[in-house]
């Protein structure tokens, strides 16, 4: 098998949770491949594997994936890892998943907190009239053959079946990779549906009846405790990212009116030009972060408050309710009232 090229165009100092790497190492042992030797080749300290909350540079982990796929000769190594990885390997996020009320809540947790696993990982929920989809991307490139993304989608699907206590069928699975017919059959056998290949993005979807089915193991108290642990840990690692500092300032000033780039720059003690340059270096933009802050606050207020929808729109800086409705359709695939109703159905 020819050694695949390594992508190195990642953002500043991105990192990946050590226990995620430990799960990959365990999968490699099943192939009779010594993960310690591969980690040494990638200049990775094996001693960090069992250090709570330790992290590895993303460049090293992507190199490890390349070497792992080369030595196992399995382009779908990520699928195998997704079959085997245990929920506690995902820090408090995995434990929160086990306590979630339904698949909709589980996918929401992944979308909000996936950065706990990798600071370059981005997950988003997309909704339409038929159901919800979890879309996964990685910033600054990707590991070879999208292996980590496939591992995550395979893991989410396995947890969905496990927590539902019966096999469930996705409405679709789409991957951006190209495979052989044999590999395509492996994917179809695992997910139980034909997998769309060479897609625009890696994603998995479920209809609403599946996402809203209650999990027997739901535990709101345990979920809340683990979310607190997640936020505390993310706070530690995100303080190193300039984009997160900008986002926090936007969130703080949003209730006072639409934040302006110049005002945020003054609060952070930098010039507007420096702010824009630093954000660009992290592949972010001020307008994109403003949109993210609005979306997150809209989702929180619509799902967890009784404020009138018009007032929520005003709080987010939308003087015209129709503009808020258009933004909601772009963010969530539905109107503000539909999202609020959906959250009420989930709660019951």
């Amino acid at each position: 098998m020819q050694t695949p090229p390594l992508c190195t165009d990642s953002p500043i100092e991105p990192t990946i949770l050590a226990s995620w790497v430990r799960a990959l190492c365990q999968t490699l042992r099943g192939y009779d491949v010594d993960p310690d030797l591969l980690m040494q080749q990638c200049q990775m300290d094996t001693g960090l594997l069992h250090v709570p909350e330790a992290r590895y540079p993303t460049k090293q982990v992507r190199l490890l994936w390349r070497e792992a796929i080369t030595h196992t000769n399995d382009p779908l190594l990520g699928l195998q890892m997704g079959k085997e990885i245990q929920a506690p390997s995902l820090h408090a996020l995995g434990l929160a998943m086990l306590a979630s009320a339904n698949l909709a809540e589980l996918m929401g947790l992944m979308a909000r907190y996936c950065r706990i696993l990798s600071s370059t990982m981005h997950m988003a929920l997309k909704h339409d009239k038929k159901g919800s989809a979890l879309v996964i991307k990685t910033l600054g490139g990707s590991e070879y053959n999208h292996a980590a993304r496939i591992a995550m989608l395979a893991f989410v699907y396995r947890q969905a079946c496990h927590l539902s206590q019966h096999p469930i069928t996705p409405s679709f699975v789409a991957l951006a990779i190209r495979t052989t017919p044999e590999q395509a059959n492996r994917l179809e056998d695992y997910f139980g549906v034909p997998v769309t290949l060479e897609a625009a993005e890696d994603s998995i979807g479920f209809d609403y009846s599946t996402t809203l089915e209650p999990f027997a193991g739901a535990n709101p108290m345990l979920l809340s405790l683990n979310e607190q642990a997640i936020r505390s840990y993310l706070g530690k690692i995100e303080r190193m990212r300039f984009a997160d500092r900008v986002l926090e300032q936007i969130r703080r000033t949003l209730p006072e009116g639409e934040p302006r780039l110049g005002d945020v720059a003054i609060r952070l003690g930098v010039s507007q030009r420096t702010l824009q340059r630093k954000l660009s270096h992290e592949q972010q933009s001020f307008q994109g972060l403003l949109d993210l802050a609005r979306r997150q606050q809209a989702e929180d207020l619509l799902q967890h408050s009784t404020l009138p929808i018009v007032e929520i729109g005003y709080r987010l800086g939308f003087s015209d309710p129709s503009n808020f409705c258009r933004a909601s359709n772009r963010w969530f695939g539905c109107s503000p009232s539909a999202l609020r109703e959906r959250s009420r159905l989930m709660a019951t």
Side-chain angles (χ1 to χ4, degrees), residues 278-314:
K278 287 189 173 185
L279 288 180
S280 177
H281 207 92
E282 295 184 6
Q283 298 186 342
Q284 301 286 350
S285 69
F286 182 83
Q287 197 59 40
L289 293 174
L290 175 59
D291 189 69
L292 174 61
R294 280 174 159 168
R295 180 184 66 78
Q296 291 175 337
Q297 188 164 338
E299 185 174 24
D300 182 63
L301 292 174
L302 288 169
Q303 293 184 341
H304 305 297
S305 80
T306 58
L307 290 173
I309 289 175
V310 172
E311 183 175 342
I312 292 175
Y314 283 138

Side-chain angles (χ1 to χ4, degrees), residues 175-248:
L175 301 175
I177 63 171
R178 178 183 299 176
T179 68
T180 65
E182 180 183 359
Q183 293 162 9
N185 288 336
R186 279 179 64 189
L187 291 166
E188 183 174 339
D189 288 344
Y190 178 74
F191 289 106
V193 294
V195 176
T196 300
L197 301 172
E198 300 183 63
E201 54 194 10
D202 300 307
S203 58
I204 186 169
F206 302 91
D207 60 42
Y208 286 127
S209 63
T210 299
T211 62
L212 297 177
E213 179 184 344
F215 290 159
N219 189 322
M221 183 177 295
L222 184 59
L223 175 64
S224 177
L225 289 172
N226 280 290
E227 281 202 86
Q228 291 177 29
I230 293 169
R231 287 192 289 267
S232 175
Y233 180 58
L234 282 176
K236 296 177 184 178
I237 64 175
E238 288 180 349
R239 278 192 288 271
M240 298 182 294
R241 299 181 67 241
F242 186 77
D244 289 292
R245 293 171 58 195
V246 174
L247 182 60
E248 180 60 26

